PDB file of all heavy atoms in Angstrom:
ATOM      1  N   SER W  39       7.041  12.298   9.862  1.00 98.00           N
ATOM      2  CA  SER W  39       6.385  11.406   8.777  1.00 98.00           C
ATOM      3  C   SER W  39       7.502  11.108   7.770  1.00 98.00           C
ATOM      4  O   SER W  39       8.290  11.973   7.431  1.00 98.00           O
ATOM      5  CB  SER W  39       5.316  12.260   8.038  1.00 98.00           C
ATOM      6  OG  SER W  39       5.160  11.824   6.729  1.00 98.00           O
ATOM      7  N   ARG W  72      -5.976  13.170   7.334  1.00 94.00           N
ATOM      8  CA  ARG W  72      -6.222  12.100   8.288  1.00 94.00           C
ATOM      9  C   ARG W  72      -4.945  11.539   8.892  1.00 94.00           C
ATOM     10  O   ARG W  72      -3.866  11.721   8.368  1.00 94.00           O
ATOM     11  CB  ARG W  72      -7.020  10.919   7.707  1.00 94.00           C
ATOM     12  CG  ARG W  72      -8.432  11.357   7.430  1.00 94.00           C
ATOM     13  CD  ARG W  72      -9.353  10.256   6.910  1.00 94.00           C
ATOM     14  NE  ARG W  72      -8.873   9.879   5.561  1.00 94.00           N
ATOM     15  CZ  ARG W  72      -9.785   9.867   4.539  1.00 94.00           C
ATOM     16  NH1 ARG W  72     -10.988  10.172   4.645  1.00 94.00           N
ATOM     17  NH2 ARG W  72      -9.307   9.501   3.350  1.00 94.00           N
ATOM     18  N   THR W  75      -1.775   5.645  12.131  1.00 96.00           N
ATOM     19  CA  THR W  75      -1.258   5.352  13.407  1.00 96.00           C
ATOM     20  C   THR W  75      -0.529   3.935  13.312  1.00 96.00           C
ATOM     21  O   THR W  75      -1.201   3.015  12.666  1.00 96.00           O
ATOM     22  CB  THR W  75      -2.288   5.299  14.557  1.00 96.00           C
ATOM     23  OG1 THR W  75      -3.401   4.504  14.061  1.00 96.00           O
ATOM     24  CG2 THR W  75      -2.670   6.661  14.954  1.00 96.00           C
ATOM     25  N   LYS W 151      -8.498  -3.163   6.742  1.00 97.00           N
ATOM     26  CA  LYS W 151      -7.342  -2.549   6.092  1.00 97.00           C
ATOM     27  C   LYS W 151      -6.049  -3.057   6.664  1.00 97.00           C
ATOM     28  O   LYS W 151      -5.839  -2.931   7.891  1.00 97.00           O
ATOM     29  CB  LYS W 151      -7.596  -1.078   6.308  1.00 97.00           C
ATOM     30  CG  LYS W 151      -6.509  -0.212   5.651  1.00 97.00           C
ATOM     31  CD  LYS W 151      -7.079   1.274   5.469  1.00 97.00           C
ATOM     32  CE  LYS W 151      -6.104   2.251   5.101  1.00 97.00           C
ATOM     33  NZ  LYS W 151      -6.625   3.534   4.790  1.00 97.00           N
TER      34      LYS W 151
HETATM   35  C1  BT5 G 301      -4.112   6.149   3.989  1.00 88.07           C
HETATM   36  O1  BT5 G 301      -4.820   7.205   4.067  1.00 88.07           O
HETATM   37  O2  BT5 G 301      -4.512   5.095   3.989  1.00 88.07           O
HETATM   38  C2  BT5 G 301      -2.629   6.415   3.663  1.00 88.07           C
HETATM   39  C3  BT5 G 301      -1.681   6.073   4.747  1.00 88.07           C
HETATM   40  C4  BT5 G 301      -0.286   6.201   4.360  1.00 88.07           C
HETATM   41  C5  BT5 G 301       0.599   6.049   5.634  1.00 88.07           C
HETATM   42  C6  BT5 G 301       2.047   6.038   5.254  1.00 88.07           C
HETATM   43  S1  BT5 G 301       3.082   5.500   6.522  1.00 88.07           S
HETATM   44  C7  BT5 G 301       4.501   6.096   5.691  1.00 88.07           C
HETATM   45  C8  BT5 G 301       4.086   7.296   5.040  1.00 88.07           C
HETATM   46  N1  BT5 G 301       4.369   8.554   5.963  1.00 88.07           N
HETATM   47  C9  BT5 G 301       3.176   9.028   6.347  1.00 88.07           C
HETATM   48  O3  BT5 G 301       3.029  10.145   7.012  1.00 88.07           O
HETATM   49  N2  BT5 G 301       2.135   8.513   5.668  1.00 88.07           N
HETATM   50  C10 BT5 G 301       2.602   7.435   4.799  1.00 88.07           C
HETATM   51  P1  BT5 G 301      -6.446   7.229   4.172  1.00 88.07           P
HETATM   52  O4  BT5 G 301      -7.016   6.497   3.067  1.00 88.07           O
HETATM   53  O5  BT5 G 301      -6.822   8.709   4.412  1.00 88.07           O
HETATM   54  O6  BT5 G 301      -6.734   6.410   5.543  1.00 88.07           O
HETATM   55  C11 BT5 G 301      -6.535   7.023   6.803  1.00 88.07           C
HETATM   56  C12 BT5 G 301      -7.509   6.250   7.673  1.00 88.07           C
HETATM   57  O7  BT5 G 301      -7.041   4.923   7.852  1.00 88.07           O
HETATM   58  C13 BT5 G 301      -7.570   6.907   9.098  1.00 88.07           C
HETATM   59  O8  BT5 G 301      -8.473   7.934   9.182  1.00 88.07           O
HETATM   60  C14 BT5 G 301      -7.971   5.652  10.015  1.00 88.07           C
HETATM   61  O9  BT5 G 301      -9.377   5.434   9.941  1.00 88.07           O
HETATM   62  C15 BT5 G 301      -7.415   4.485   9.187  1.00 88.07           C
HETATM   63  N3  BT5 G 301      -6.052   4.111   9.859  1.00 88.07           N
HETATM   64  C16 BT5 G 301      -5.118   4.727  10.444  1.00 88.07           C
HETATM   65  N4  BT5 G 301      -4.119   3.989  10.876  1.00 88.07           N
HETATM   66  C17 BT5 G 301      -4.286   2.774  10.366  1.00 88.07           C
HETATM   67  C18 BT5 G 301      -3.738   1.501  10.421  1.00 88.07           C
HETATM   68  N5  BT5 G 301      -2.481   1.375  11.039  1.00 88.07           N
HETATM   69  N6  BT5 G 301      -4.307   0.467   9.884  1.00 88.07           N
HETATM   70  C19 BT5 G 301      -5.512   0.577   9.295  1.00 88.07           C
HETATM   71  N7  BT5 G 301      -6.198   1.686   9.192  1.00 88.07           N
HETATM   72  C20 BT5 G 301      -5.566   2.832   9.786  1.00 88.07           C
END
Side-chain angles (χ1 to χ4, degrees):
S39 155
R72 289 185 290 236
T75 49
K151 183 160 168 171

